[in-house]
Amino acid sequence: MTKRIDDIVIIEEEEPDFCEYCGKLAELRPYGKNGARICFNCGIKNKEETNKNMERILFERKKH
């Protein structure tokens, strides 16, 4: 579970589940389009979108 304490973000290991993009059983994060839970391999296929979504979720920033 990922949590935030003030300005500190703590990312913890998640239980494996099935990636919404490729269907692989893996640890997922909600960094895909529209919050899709995706695996690392799918995340690096579109690094720009993944990083934008990760920053928005973790740091409440909107990158243009």
Side-chain angles (χ1 to χ4, degrees):
M1 177 170 156
T2 301
K3 58 188 167 195
R4 207 175 156 168
I5 301 173
D6 297 319
D7 289 335
I8 299 170
V9 177
I10 301 168
I11 299 174
E12 297 177 342
E13 188 174 351
E14 301 269 338
E15 289 293 320
D17 204 350
F18 294 98
C19 177
E20 292 183 41
Y21 284 5
C22 72
K24 176 183 172 185
L25 182 63
E27 183 176 2
L28 309 177
R29 299 291 174 193
Y31 306 150
K33 186 175 182 176
N34 298 317
R37 294 177 42 78
I38 59 174
C39 67
F40 177 80
N41 289 334
C42 287
I44 62 173
K45 288 178 183 173
N46 187 343
K47 290 180 186 178
E48 185 177 333
E49 179 180 67
T50 300
N51 286 334
K52 178 184 73 171
N53 292 332
M54 179 182 71
E55 286 189 18
R56 180 181 48 78
I57 290 168
L58 295 180
F59 305 109
E60 297 176 0
R61 290 187 205 145
K62 294 189 180 189
K63 285 188 91 175
H64 302 291

